[in-house]
Amino acid sequence: MIELKNVTKSYEINKNNIVVALNDVSMKIGEGELVVLRGASGSGKSSVLSLIAALSKPTTGEVIVDTKQISKLPDNFASEYRRDNIGFVFQKYNLITTLSVKENILLPLVPLNPDPDDADEKLTRVMEMFKISHKKDAIIKNLSGGEQQRVAIARANVNEPKIIIADEPTANLDEKLSLHFIEMLKELKKLNKTIVIATHDPLFFGLDIVDREIEMHNGAII
Amino acid sequence: MRKKINFYLIEYAINAILRQKYKNIFIATTLTFLIFLLTSIFFITNSIKYELNSTVDALPEIVVQKIKAGRHYDIETHATEEILAITGVVDAVARVWGYYYFENAGVNFSLVGVDEFEAQYKESLQRVVETSELMNTQDSSMVVGRGVKDTMQKNYYKDYFNFIKPDGTLKRVDLVGVFDGDTQLESNDIIVMSKADVREIFDMRESMATDIVVKVSNPDEVATIASKIKLVFPDSRIITKNDLKISYQNIFDYKSGIFLALFVVSLFTFFIIIYDKASGLSSEEKREIGILKAIGWRVDDVLKEKFYEGFIISFFSYMIGVILAVGFVYIFQAPLLQNIFTGYSQLKTSFELPFIFDVQTLFLVFFLSVPIYIAATIIPSWKISTLDADEVIR
């Protein structure tokens, strides 16, 4: 389903300073698989997620999702690809903190101009699934970290994407909330979603729902 | 098939505006004020232009005045016969008129004399003679312009007025009617009465007139006839309609200069706002665009949303600014601003600005404000939204 072929990603800080985030990385992730990318900060985990989500383009190499090469997609097609296929849970949630829970969750649907009934149905489904219905009209900045993360996951799932990507999802949570997150992952796994998580949280290592762990170091798979 | 309006996007744009409430209120208020100022300037200019054009159109083609050592003196009425003998002259009418200073109100009235059996040089005066009670009363009577009536009433003169003659005695003249001229500028300060009464008030002999107005059959021959009159009366000053037009235009242009300065200041302020807006987004605004891109918004979705934001603020400001300008100019008669323009007639009674609906003005102000503001909102967002979402979020 997801394939990275000899991918290199480098960032130019300035003319004399080029950082290589990924160096000739290749991997395959099957449909419905839950893969954990392990490694210390700066090992290249987030760069892999960013490439799979078409948030950035590889310097060299190919990223293929469902037989389509997404690494060369023009900007608008990349947006459509993300909208239709990807649910991204960011480390800092990346919610719009002055909007309500409902408004944040509906954001990915806004450009599609959905029928109000359809939008309501999708909203209700994800809010119930991730147990955030009681905070529907609350403003994000007034929510706890755990509640914000539920909203982020609900938003990532409102379009019913095939692929869920989570970047350090438990970095800002205590152990209890982290375990709640893992429960939510189990729900998503049951729905046969392909899930890729970048983390260095030991809670994920050896979990029964995790199909595979990929260790990364200095931009390469070890 | 027509695309449905995306109300979700409009709602998001409204929310985005409300999230930066104070900043946007400040921008909208400034924009509204500038649009109000610009529109008011254009409205006043158009109204006064209309009044002046109408006044100039009603002016006589040639006016003959007697001059002694450069000063204007009364002219003998029999001069009309000699002028009528000039080929091309259709009519020559001796006018009896003058300014009367009404000290209580600090304004000048124009006293104009008419004669029942004489064709008037102006249609509006002819109407007054034909329709008013002026010529039907035995006693001295007058018909006045609306502004004169108001000024007199404010000073407790309702039915008559006592004019002070040069020898210090009083001349009572009854008020028998009010008339509206073709334009307020020409009629507002006018008092029409019989020539005999005007002569008495100004202590003018019966054989004398203030000046003579001349009508010609062919307007192209005005200059030739003017020079012929000059030959017959070397001690006269010949004023053609064109001379008066230029003199009116000069006053108008001078006043326009002040308005042009206001206009430039308004535009300058507006472009400072635009420059500030176009020069970049805050890190919070950039991050928000990055988030929207990351969750699947296309560049054009972001731009549409920014378009709505800019449109809502600028169109709202435009509408309020124009409505305020209409109220300010046509209902409240542009206090302060009108004084700049009509200051030269401080000694005249005030006049009302006529309502001139000029679509061009509304379009001009619209295109000077709304599209420019929208562009200033969209351009920086476009720059950010075309970057990789990953780069923007980080």
Side-chain angles (χ1 to χ4, degrees), chain A residues 205-216:
Chain A
F205 307 152
L207 269 180
D208 54 348
I209 54 163
V210 175
D211 297 306
R212 200 149 43 105
E213 290 177 17
I214 298 172
E215 180 87 30
M216 295 192 70

Side-chain angles (χ1 to χ4, degrees), chain B residues 127-145:
Chain B
R127 276 201 302 275
V128 172
V129 173
E130 286 167 3
T131 59
S132 72
E133 293 293 308
L134 193 63
M135 299 300 164
N136 302 334
T137 52
Q138 293 295 314
D139 299 326
S140 295
S141 56
M142 61 182 170
V143 176
V144 300

Side-chain angles (χ1 to χ4, degrees), chain A residues 11 46 50 55-57 75-76 79-80 82-83 90 94-96 98-99 103 107-108 110-111 113-116 119 155, chain B residues 4-9 12 15 19 287-288 291-301 385-386 388-390 393-394:
Chain A
Y11 297 96
S46 295
S50 178
L55 288 172
S56 61
K57 293 182 172 65
D75 196 82
N76 275 342
S79 288
E80 282 173 14
R82 278 193 295 276
R83 194 178 63 203
F90 298 91
N94 277 339
L95 299 168
I96 296 175
T98 43
L99 291 182
E103 287 162 341
L107 269 184
V110 167
N113 194 15
D115 179 80
R155 184 183 68 183
Chain B
K4 268 195 324 181
I5 298 170
N6 191 340
F7 288 105
Y8 287 99
L9 207 55
Y12 183 83
N15 274 330
R19 270 185 278 142
R287 194 176 148 267
E288 185 173 323
I291 294 171
L292 296 176
K293 287 281 306 289
I295 60 174
W297 285 39
R298 292 159 50 110
V299 173
D300 51 301
D301 296 325
S385 61
T386 49
D388 275 348
D390 188 49
I393 295 173
R394 278 168 200 265

Side-chain angles (χ1 to χ4, degrees), chain A residues 107-180:
Chain A
L107 269 184
L109 300 178
V110 167
L112 300 170
N113 194 15
D115 179 80
D117 292 337
D118 283 352
D120 257 4
E121 192 191 314
K122 286 182 174 175
L123 177 72
T124 310
R125 179 181 58 79
V126 289
M127 283 200 305
E128 280 172 6
M129 187 172 177
F130 300 105
K131 299 181 177 59
I132 197 72
S133 304
H134 61 294
K135 296 279 184 181
K136 187 180 174 185
D137 296 313
I139 301 297
I140 296 296
K141 63 182 175 192
N142 299 330
L143 299 182
S144 68
E147 287 168 333
Q148 288 192 26
Q149 197 191 46
R150 284 169 190 277
V151 179
I153 297 170
R155 184 183 68 183
N157 280 278
V158 74
N159 262 343
E160 299 174 57
K162 290 179 285 186
I163 303 166
I164 302 290
I165 291 170
D167 190 4
E168 302 285 4
T170 55
N172 299 309
L173 302 178
D174 59 25
E175 193 179 334
K176 190 181 161 199
L177 289 173
S178 299
L179 290 170
H180 271 130

Side-chain angles (χ1 to χ4, degrees), chain B residues 240-259:
Chain B
T240 64
K241 192 175 191 170
N242 202 37
D243 296 333
L244 289 169
K245 220 177 212 175
I246 291 165
S247 123
Y248 270 112
Q249 202 59 51
N250 283 344
I251 295 168
F252 182 72
D253 287 345
Y254 151 66
K255 299 291 176 184
S256 293
I258 296 168
F259 275 70

